[in-house]
Amino acid sequence: MTAATDQTPVNAAPSPSDAGRVIIFDTTLRDGEQSPGASMNLEEKLRIARVLEEMGVDVIEAGFPIASNGDFEAVREIGKVVRNSVIAGLSRANRRDIDRAAEALQFAERKRIHTFISTSPLHMKYKLQMEPEKVLQAVWDSVTHARNHVEDVEWSAEDGSRTEHDFLCRCVETAIKAGATTINIPDTVGYGVPEEYGALFTMLINRVPNADKAIFSVHCHNDLGLAVANSLAGVTAGARQIECTINGLGERAGNAALEEIVMALRTRADALPYTTGIQTEQIMTASRLVSAVTGFVVQPNKAIVGKNAFAHESGIHQDGMLKNAQTYEIMTPESVGLNRSTLVMGKHSGRAAFRAKLKDLGYALGDNAIEETFVRFKDLADKKKDVFDEDIIALVDDSIGST
Ligand code: KIV
Ligand code: ZN
């Protein structure tokens, strides 16, 4: 094995001097689509890719070209229309996959081949049925072959978080020597916990020779609900690329959710001093599009993009919101592309919100009328799960009519 010549990272990082800038690698169209029932057609993938580019995603993983003709076509067509984001195509560690990925990427302005192989004892023994030395050779061969096609090569250690450390170091060292510019350590089965996953990056960055020649990347699955926390732990430990999906779409419990990661970095810049190039105001557009295209409904209490993420029902919270939104909101609805928060009228709502709602609906009632309607509203709210504007209008009209 001999070393590749040019080892400069060539991915989307804006400026090497901006040490806190994190690359956002969106894999909605690849890992996200692997979610059972989430298949998308070409036109849908193109729409999503355009929105991702528009919102400032650095790298769009557009598909796995060897997997099907549809995936090949999607990578090729997205490569034709997207000009700003890097387009990545996935391949296993063999020449056929890599050549197919390179062919699919032929029209892309900025292209990346993403090649992977399993490195954990469990995967090597049962899935690959390969000895570790053979896997190491495959790392070398696949990365050098990919580098013959493109300058931007990402190498991933599948099941990296369950890989024995000495062996993982040898694999990463080999991949960097062979010319990989991004090193991704997936938590493929969502087994990691934040401290341990972060420590894995600290260990690799400290131990692997020439670790500074590549950008380290996190790729976390959500089987224990820790994908975002693990991703952020990896970044704190030195990773500078985050792989994620819109709405956390992905196999089993999904991948780390792009919107949660980006908003955590934006909202808690004091504790997490890292930036992204994402226009967060486009988050709702992307979320709604992915949900509509896949038919995967976003749970109402989902962070950032759930229907209730900026909705308040309890009287105490609504009163606080009317006085100062920061009492119960840590980010503004506008910052994720919503017009405003909603004060949901229900049995927990108080007089302050009721008054505000009446004003909103164009009513100017006296105190007595408000009080009387409020009592009737509470009765109704006890019987009815959702009290709509129409219900309140009917109550007021009824009150006015009876006086
Ligand atoms: O979860 C995983 O290990 C992957 C790799 C193919 C990058 O998706
Ligand atoms: Zn994955």
Side-chain angles (χ1 to χ4, degrees), residues 27 30-31 34 61 90 114 116 154 156-160 184 186-189 219 221 243 255:
T27 182
R30 199 279 296 170
D31 224 356
Q34 285 177 213
E61 187 161 56
L90 186 69
H114 176 192
F116 73 98
E154 172 168 337
S156 284
E158 191 184 11
D159 208 17
N184 183 40
D187 182 26
T188 303
V189 290
H219 176 116
H221 282 266
E243 303 197 356
N255 289 57

Side-chain angles (χ1 to χ4, degrees), residues 63-79:
F64 191 178
I66 197 83
S68 70
N69 288 338
D71 255 41
F72 177 87
E73 205 188 344
V75 175
R76 193 185 55 192
E77 296 308 308
I78 290 169

Side-chain angles (χ1 to χ4, degrees), residues 29-194:
L29 299 176
R30 199 279 296 170
D31 224 356
E33 206 209 15
Q34 285 177 213
S35 192
S39 297
M40 302 169 227
N41 65 32
L42 177 61
E43 190 258 326
E44 291 165 342
K45 286 186 178 180
L46 281 164
R47 275 167 68 201
I48 292 175
R50 285 200 186 92
V51 167
L52 295 175
E53 177 183 40
E54 180 88 9
M55 79 191 285
V57 163
D58 300 296
V59 186
I60 299 173
E61 187 161 56
F64 191 178
I66 197 83
S68 70
N69 288 338
D71 255 41
F72 177 87
E73 205 188 344
V75 175
R76 193 185 55 192
E77 296 308 308
I78 290 169
K80 283 183 190 167
V81 298
V82 170
R83 300 283 91 179
N84 298 321
S85 313
V86 172
I87 303 302
L90 186 69
S91 73
R92 287 166 299 187
N94 66 63
R95 283 177 172 244
R96 240 184 102 235
D97 275 36
I98 293 167
D99 292 344
R100 190 78 173 141
E103 196 188 340
L105 289 165
Q106 64 185 304
F107 301 110
E109 176 101 11
R110 307 173 72 198
K111 52 186 103 176
R112 171 181 297 186
I113 293 179
H114 176 192
T115 182
F116 73 98
I117 191 165
S118 292
T119 53
S120 68
L122 207 63
H123 277 223
M124 289 191 292
K125 181 169 177 196
Y126 294 104
K127 189 183 99 165
L128 298 177
Q129 299 182 333
M130 277 169 83
E131 290 301 321
E133 291 308 313
K134 288 264 186 262
V135 168
L136 213 49
Q137 187 61 47
V139 173
W140 176 264
D141 292 344
S142 56
V143 175
T144 47
H145 190 60
R147 275 299 299 250
N148 290 335
H149 287 294
V150 294
E151 291 191 348
D152 185 348
V153 173
E154 172 168 337
W155 176 77
S156 284
E158 191 184 11
D159 208 17
S161 60
R162 293 194 299 172
T163 297
E164 193 266 313
H165 285 191
D166 287 347
F167 184 64
L168 189 59
C169 284
R170 288 179 69 205
C171 289
V172 171
E173 182 180 356
T174 302
I176 293 175
K177 232 187 224 169
T181 45
T182 300
I183 298 292
N184 183 40
I185 311 294
D187 182 26
T188 303
V189 290
Y191 180 74
V193 293

